[in-house]
Amino acid sequence: MPGIHSAIVAVGNELLCGKTTDTNGSWLSERLAFLGAPVLRRWVVGDHSSEIQDVVSVAMDIAELVVITGGLGPTQDDLTRQAVADCLGLKLISDPELLQDLRDRFRVRGFAKLPRSNPVQAEVPEGAEVIPNLRGSAPGLWIDVGNQVVVLLPGVPQEMRGMFDEALEPRVREYFGSRLAPLAQRTFHTTGILESVLDERVGTVRDKLPEGVEVAFLPDLQGVSLRISTSLTTERDRTRLDDAEAVLEPIIDPYRFEAVSGDLVESIARELMDAGLSIAVAESCTGGLMAKRITDLPGSSAYFRGGVVAYADPIKIDVLGLDERIFIDNGAVSKRVAVGMAQGVAELMGADVGVGITGVAGPEGGTSTKPVGLVWYAASVRGRSVFEKKVFFGDREAVRERAGQAAFRLVFRMLTDSV
Amino acid sequence: MPGIHSAIVAVGNELLCGKTTDTNGSWLSERLAFLGAPVLRRWVVGDHSSEIQDVVSVAMDIAELVVITGGLGPTQDDLTRQAVADCLGLKLISDPELLQDLRDRFRVRGFAKLPRSNPVQAEVPEGAEVIPNLRGSAPGLWIDVGNQVVVLLPGVPQEMRGMFDEALEPRVREYFGSRLAPLAQRTFHTTGILESVLDERVGTVRDKLPEGVEVAFLPDLQGVSLRISTSLTTERDRTRLDDAEAVLEPIIDPYRFEAVSGDLVESIARELMDAGLSIAVAESCTGGLMAKRITDLPGSSAYFRGGVVAYADPIKIDVLGLDERIFIDNGAVSKRVAVGMAQGVAELMGADVGVGITGVAGPEGGTSTKPVGLVWYAASVRGRSVFEKKVFFGDREAVRERAGQAAFRLVFRMLTDSV
C-alpha cells in the first residue's frame, strides 16, 4: 500500500475492565488520519508485560508509526516503558535531565525528596528522545528504530492531547515528510431516508464517482450522514470532492440539511431567525423531547415561545382547545388531533409556527389499526397546516427519537418551501 | 490461568478513522467481567476482510469467548459476516426465517419489496444460531466452534446492549457454566452529593470495610452511584457485601434512592402510583427535559398529566396564570416564579403534584446577582409548596441536567416526607 500506516496500543487495566472508555483511541485515530498516517488497527491491553510485548511486536509488523498510550506512571502496575524496551531489545537508562526535572517539579510542590517510586519515570530506553509533558509528570518517548517509529504517550487524555499537538504532530510531519498522505473530507447530513435506501441509490451512481473518493454512511436515530473523503496529494485532489458532491447531489438533496452540529434543529433555528418567525410545540407521545431539543440550543429564546406536553387527553381539550368530538370520532392518535394540537399551541402561545405530534410510543398501547410506532405529526404556519403519518420501528426511545426528528423534518420542509 | 477469558473485536471504519468512539468495548468489558469471563484483549479494525480475519484468528487463540461487534449492516462495506465465516471455514447460507422476518418488518413500514441490499442480512454461517435483534434489522449470531464460542453483534450500541442483556448473557452462563468466575456487586444510587464529598466520607470508614470488597464511584450528571464488588467463589463471599453495605449505610442514606434503572424518576413514579397521585411540570430553563424524563418511562400516562414549557415570560403569565407584578418585583428567575409555576401547572392540568423550575442555563444571560447556573425550583403537593435554589456548575447541558435532577430530588423528598 502507498503511504504509511499507524497502529495504536492503549494500555491499562481500567480500560480492559470497562471502568474507563478509551477515548484516546478515537481522538488519535482522527488526528493521524488527517495527518496522513491513517490507523490500520488498534488494541486495548491490560498492564501485563507479555500482553504489551505481544501486541507491540504485531503493531510494528503492520505499521510504520506505533503509538502506545498509558502505563507510564510511577506505580508498580505501570509497565509500558519496560515492556516496550524489552520488546525492542533496548536497555532502560536513567536520563539525568529528566530526573532533575522531576526533582524540580516535586520541590515546587513542597517535596524535599522525590517519592521513592517516581525516579522510574526518568528511565528511558537507550536512544529514545523525550517528549516533554507540560501537564503532568510522565514524559513521552520517541523511539526511532530505523524507518519506523514507536511513540509512548501518557494515558491521561488531556496530557496526551497536548503532547500530540505540540510535539508529536510536527515531529511526524518532519520524519515521514512526503510519505504522508493527508486527507480531505466533506460530510452531508440527511434525514428522512433509511440507510439501506440511501446506500442503494448511491450504488446507482457509484461508478460515476471520481476514483479515490471513499463514501461512508454514518447512521444514528436522527438520520444518516454521508461522508466523502479522499487523499490530498496534489491540488487536483481537492476538486475530486467537488466532483463527488456533484454526483451525489441529486440523490441527497431532498433529505439534506446543513448544520455545523449535525442537528436538524440548528437548521430550523436558522430558518426561523432569517424569517423572523417564532415556534411553539404541542407534544403527546414525544413527551417534551421536541421542546428539549429546541432548547438544547443556546439562544433559543429568540424564537421559541414554549410548549405544551399534552400527555393526558383532557389536556389536549382543556389547554389546547381541541374539540372533544374529534377524539370520539378519530381517537387521540389521528390526523385531526395532530393538526388541532399544532394550531392550538400556536394560538395559545402566540407563535407563528405550531407543531403537533401524537402517536403510540409503546411498548404497550398498540392495536391492530394503530400499532406501536404509529405517529401523526403536523406543522402549522400562520394557519396553513401540513401533516404526515409514519410507523416508526424500534423500542420506545427509538420511536420517540425518530418521530420527533420526522416532525422536525416536516417543519424544515415547510420553512424551506418544499412541502 | 483458571477460568475463561473473552476477547472483543470492534469492526468499523468509522471507529478507525476516529469519527466514532468505541463505547461498546468498555460496556462489554464491564459486563463480561461481572459475568466471570474477563476480557484479555480488545481490537478495533476497519471494514476490511483480511484485517477482520487476522484479528479474529488471534482472538480465538487467546480467548474462549470472542465477541465481534459491527459491520453487520446491509451495505457493501459491512463485511463482518463473510470475513468471520471465511476465518472459520464456514459457508454463508440464507436463513429463510430471517429473510421472512426482514420482509415482514419492511412490509409493515410500507415497502412492497425489500431494498436490494437488505437480504444479505439474512445470510448466516452454517451452523450459527441467530440472536434476535428487537431494535434493528441486523441479527446477531452465536457460533459454537467446540469448547469455544464466536459471537457477532451489531455495532449500534443500543441494539448491542439489548441483545447482550436479553439473549447473550443467559447463553454464556449456560454454555460456560462453572468455568465462569463471576463477581458479585451491589450498586447504591445517590443524588444530591458531590463525588468528592462522598469519596471523603467513604474514606473515613474504609478500614471498617471487609477485605476483598472493592468500592467504585460512578458519577454522572444526575448523581453518583457507589458500587461495591467482590469475587464470588464461596457462599460466604456474599455476606461480605452485606457487611460492606452496613458500614456504608449511614453515609449514603440521606442521598440514596432505589431504582432498577438507576433513574430517580423511577422512584418518583413508584411513590406517585403508591399514593395514587398525579403530576404535572412547568419548565423554563430545562425546556422540556423534565417532561421528557418522566415520559421516558413506559406507562407514565398512569400518573403524568402533562407539562408546560413556559420559555417566554408571557407564557408563564398567560398560560400558567402568574401575576405580571411578580416578574417586575422579583424577575423571572426567582422563588415566587418557581412556586407560582408549580402551583399554576398543577391547577391548569388538574394534577395533585406540580413542579416549577426557572433559571439561567447559559452560556449567555448571567448577571452578577443571577449568574449562569442559578436555578430556583419548587414542588407543590395539594397546595403545600417547598422550594430550593442552587447554583449549578458546568456547561448548558450540565446545568440543565443537574437542575432537573435537583428538582426531581425535591419532589422525591416531598413524596417520602423527608422535606
Side-chain angles (χ1 to χ4, degrees), chain B residues 158-172:
Chain B
Q158 197 207 7
E159 299 177 16
M160 186 280 292
R161 292 177 186 199
M163 290 161 83
F164 185 92
D165 285 343
E166 290 151 14
L168 198 58
E169 188 174 320
R171 261 169 199 263
V172 169

PDB file of all heavy atoms in Angstrom, chain B residues 158-172:
ATOM      1  N   GLN B 158     -27.186   0.710  21.263  1.00  0.00           N
ATOM      2  CA  GLN B 158     -28.480   0.403  21.845  1.00  0.00           C
ATOM      3  C   GLN B 158     -28.928  -1.021  21.480  1.00  0.00           C
ATOM      4  O   GLN B 158     -29.437  -1.758  22.321  1.00  0.00           O
ATOM      5  CB  GLN B 158     -29.454   1.429  21.281  1.00  0.00           C
ATOM      6  CG  GLN B 158     -30.731   1.553  22.027  1.00  0.00           C
ATOM      7  CD  GLN B 158     -31.799   2.044  21.072  1.00  0.00           C
ATOM      8  OE1 GLN B 158     -31.590   2.159  19.872  1.00  0.00           O
ATOM      9  NE2 GLN B 158     -32.957   2.328  21.634  1.00  0.00           N
ATOM     10  N   GLU B 159     -28.713  -1.400  20.218  1.00  0.00           N
ATOM     11  CA  GLU B 159     -29.108  -2.744  19.782  1.00  0.00           C
ATOM     12  C   GLU B 159     -28.214  -3.796  20.436  1.00  0.00           C
ATOM     13  O   GLU B 159     -28.681  -4.808  20.957  1.00  0.00           O
ATOM     14  CB  GLU B 159     -29.002  -2.853  18.254  1.00  0.00           C
ATOM     15  CG  GLU B 159     -29.915  -1.882  17.521  1.00  0.00           C
ATOM     16  CD  GLU B 159     -29.765  -1.943  15.996  1.00  0.00           C
ATOM     17  OE1 GLU B 159     -29.191  -2.908  15.471  1.00  0.00           O
ATOM     18  OE2 GLU B 159     -30.222  -0.994  15.329  1.00  0.00           O
ATOM     19  N   MET B 160     -26.900  -3.512  20.447  1.00  0.00           N
ATOM     20  CA  MET B 160     -25.935  -4.463  21.002  1.00  0.00           C
ATOM     21  C   MET B 160     -26.221  -4.722  22.477  1.00  0.00           C
ATOM     22  O   MET B 160     -26.225  -5.863  22.935  1.00  0.00           O
ATOM     23  CB  MET B 160     -24.529  -3.876  20.806  1.00  0.00           C
ATOM     24  CG  MET B 160     -23.381  -4.755  21.186  1.00  0.00           C
ATOM     25  SD  MET B 160     -23.051  -4.787  22.964  1.00  0.00           S
ATOM     26  CE  MET B 160     -22.463  -3.108  23.239  1.00  0.00           C
ATOM     27  N   ARG B 161     -26.487  -3.644  23.223  1.00  0.00           N
ATOM     28  CA  ARG B 161     -26.707  -3.784  24.669  1.00  0.00           C
ATOM     29  C   ARG B 161     -27.951  -4.609  24.964  1.00  0.00           C
ATOM     30  O   ARG B 161     -27.954  -5.482  25.826  1.00  0.00           O
ATOM     31  CB  ARG B 161     -26.826  -2.408  25.318  1.00  0.00           C
ATOM     32  CG  ARG B 161     -25.520  -1.652  25.284  1.00  0.00           C
ATOM     33  CD  ARG B 161     -25.665  -0.256  25.869  1.00  0.00           C
ATOM     34  NE  ARG B 161     -24.415   0.467  25.670  1.00  0.00           N
ATOM     35  CZ  ARG B 161     -24.046   1.538  26.342  1.00  0.00           C
ATOM     36  NH1 ARG B 161     -24.847   2.038  27.264  1.00  0.00           N
ATOM     37  NH2 ARG B 161     -22.898   2.135  26.108  1.00  0.00           N
ATOM     38  N   GLY B 162     -29.026  -4.307  24.243  1.00  0.00           N
ATOM     39  CA  GLY B 162     -30.264  -5.041  24.443  1.00  0.00           C
ATOM     40  C   GLY B 162     -30.070  -6.523  24.174  1.00  0.00           C
ATOM     41  O   GLY B 162     -30.506  -7.376  24.949  1.00  0.00           O
ATOM     42  N   MET B 163     -29.365  -6.837  23.081  1.00  0.00           N
ATOM     43  CA  MET B 163     -29.165  -8.236  22.715  1.00  0.00           C
ATOM     44  C   MET B 163     -28.269  -8.948  23.728  1.00  0.00           C
ATOM     45  O   MET B 163     -28.462 -10.119  24.040  1.00  0.00           O
ATOM     46  CB  MET B 163     -28.569  -8.327  21.315  1.00  0.00           C
ATOM     47  CG  MET B 163     -29.575  -7.921  20.259  1.00  0.00           C
ATOM     48  SD  MET B 163     -28.803  -7.500  18.701  1.00  0.00           S
ATOM     49  CE  MET B 163     -28.611  -9.141  18.001  1.00  0.00           C
ATOM     50  N   PHE B 164     -27.272  -8.228  24.246  1.00  0.00           N
ATOM     51  CA  PHE B 164     -26.398  -8.841  25.245  1.00  0.00           C
ATOM     52  C   PHE B 164     -27.214  -9.211  26.473  1.00  0.00           C
ATOM     53  O   PHE B 164     -27.155 -10.353  26.952  1.00  0.00           O
ATOM     54  CB  PHE B 164     -25.266  -7.883  25.631  1.00  0.00           C
ATOM     55  CG  PHE B 164     -24.269  -8.516  26.567  1.00  0.00           C
ATOM     56  CD1 PHE B 164     -23.141  -9.152  26.079  1.00  0.00           C
ATOM     57  CD2 PHE B 164     -24.474  -8.501  27.943  1.00  0.00           C
ATOM     58  CE1 PHE B 164     -22.238  -9.760  26.933  1.00  0.00           C
ATOM     59  CE2 PHE B 164     -23.590  -9.113  28.811  1.00  0.00           C
ATOM     60  CZ  PHE B 164     -22.462  -9.740  28.306  1.00  0.00           C
ATOM     61  N   ASP B 165     -27.980  -8.247  26.981  1.00  0.00           N
ATOM     62  CA  ASP B 165     -28.717  -8.486  28.225  1.00  0.00           C
ATOM     63  C   ASP B 165     -29.780  -9.565  28.071  1.00  0.00           C
ATOM     64  O   ASP B 165     -29.943 -10.410  28.938  1.00  0.00           O
ATOM     65  CB  ASP B 165     -29.396  -7.192  28.700  1.00  0.00           C
ATOM     66  CG  ASP B 165     -28.390  -6.217  29.300  1.00  0.00           C
ATOM     67  OD1 ASP B 165     -27.277  -6.660  29.637  1.00  0.00           O
ATOM     68  OD2 ASP B 165     -28.720  -5.028  29.413  1.00  0.00           O
ATOM     69  N   GLU B 166     -30.511  -9.485  26.936  1.00  0.00           N
ATOM     70  CA  GLU B 166     -31.669 -10.374  26.804  1.00  0.00           C
ATOM     71  C   GLU B 166     -31.283 -11.779  26.365  1.00  0.00           C
ATOM     72  O   GLU B 166     -31.885 -12.751  26.802  1.00  0.00           O
ATOM     73  CB  GLU B 166     -32.662  -9.779  25.798  1.00  0.00           C
ATOM     74  CG  GLU B 166     -33.339  -8.526  26.339  1.00  0.00           C
ATOM     75  CD  GLU B 166     -33.737  -7.564  25.230  1.00  0.00           C
ATOM     76  OE1 GLU B 166     -33.733  -7.963  24.054  1.00  0.00           O
ATOM     77  OE2 GLU B 166     -34.026  -6.391  25.555  1.00  0.00           O
ATOM     78  N   ALA B 167     -30.305 -11.892  25.484  1.00  0.00           N
ATOM     79  CA  ALA B 167     -30.054 -13.195  24.877  1.00  0.00           C
ATOM     80  C   ALA B 167     -28.656 -13.738  25.161  1.00  0.00           C
ATOM     81  O   ALA B 167     -28.480 -14.926  25.406  1.00  0.00           O
ATOM     82  CB  ALA B 167     -30.266 -13.104  23.364  1.00  0.00           C
ATOM     83  N   LEU B 168     -27.655 -12.864  25.142  1.00  0.00           N
ATOM     84  CA  LEU B 168     -26.301 -13.389  25.204  1.00  0.00           C
ATOM     85  C   LEU B 168     -25.900 -13.815  26.610  1.00  0.00           C
ATOM     86  O   LEU B 168     -25.326 -14.891  26.810  1.00  0.00           O
ATOM     87  CB  LEU B 168     -25.332 -12.332  24.664  1.00  0.00           C
ATOM     88  CG  LEU B 168     -23.970 -12.879  24.267  1.00  0.00           C
ATOM     89  CD1 LEU B 168     -24.115 -13.954  23.214  1.00  0.00           C
ATOM     90  CD2 LEU B 168     -23.090 -11.755  23.778  1.00  0.00           C
ATOM     91  N   GLU B 169     -26.205 -12.960  27.581  1.00  0.00           N
ATOM     92  CA  GLU B 169     -25.784 -13.260  28.946  1.00  0.00           C
ATOM     93  C   GLU B 169     -26.285 -14.632  29.419  1.00  0.00           C
ATOM     94  O   GLU B 169     -25.486 -15.443  29.882  1.00  0.00           O
ATOM     95  CB  GLU B 169     -26.227 -12.136  29.889  1.00  0.00           C
ATOM     96  CG  GLU B 169     -25.658 -12.315  31.270  1.00  0.00           C
ATOM     97  CD  GLU B 169     -25.939 -11.146  32.206  1.00  0.00           C
ATOM     98  OE1 GLU B 169     -25.867  -9.985  31.761  1.00  0.00           O
ATOM     99  OE2 GLU B 169     -26.214 -11.412  33.383  1.00  0.00           O
ATOM    100  N   PRO B 170     -27.600 -14.921  29.269  1.00  0.00           N
ATOM    101  CA  PRO B 170     -28.051 -16.250  29.700  1.00  0.00           C
ATOM    102  C   PRO B 170     -27.381 -17.395  28.922  1.00  0.00           C
ATOM    103  O   PRO B 170     -27.085 -18.440  29.493  1.00  0.00           O
ATOM    104  CB  PRO B 170     -29.566 -16.222  29.432  1.00  0.00           C
ATOM    105  CG  PRO B 170     -29.856 -14.974  28.684  1.00  0.00           C
ATOM    106  CD  PRO B 170     -28.724 -14.051  28.880  1.00  0.00           C
ATOM    107  N   ARG B 171     -27.122 -17.193  27.627  1.00  0.00           N
ATOM    108  CA  ARG B 171     -26.458 -18.217  26.843  1.00  0.00           C
ATOM    109  C   ARG B 171     -25.026 -18.468  27.320  1.00  0.00           C
ATOM    110  O   ARG B 171     -24.562 -19.609  27.366  1.00  0.00           O
ATOM    111  CB  ARG B 171     -26.346 -17.772  25.390  1.00  0.00           C
ATOM    112  CG  ARG B 171     -27.392 -18.353  24.479  1.00  0.00           C
ATOM    113  CD  ARG B 171     -27.308 -17.608  23.154  1.00  0.00           C
ATOM    114  NE  ARG B 171     -28.534 -17.792  22.430  1.00  0.00           N
ATOM    115  CZ  ARG B 171     -28.683 -18.707  21.475  1.00  0.00           C
ATOM    116  NH1 ARG B 171     -27.696 -19.502  21.136  1.00  0.00           N
ATOM    117  NH2 ARG B 171     -29.833 -18.828  20.864  1.00  0.00           N
ATOM    118  N   VAL B 172     -24.324 -17.391  27.621  1.00  0.00           N
ATOM    119  CA  VAL B 172     -22.938 -17.544  28.085  1.00  0.00           C
ATOM    120  C   VAL B 172     -22.922 -18.296  29.409  1.00  0.00           C
ATOM    121  O   VAL B 172     -22.121 -19.208  29.622  1.00  0.00           O
ATOM    122  CB  VAL B 172     -22.242 -16.165  28.226  1.00  0.00           C
ATOM    123  CG1 VAL B 172     -20.911 -16.285  28.964  1.00  0.00           C
ATOM    124  CG2 VAL B 172     -22.031 -15.536  26.853  1.00  0.00           C
TER     125      VAL B 172
END
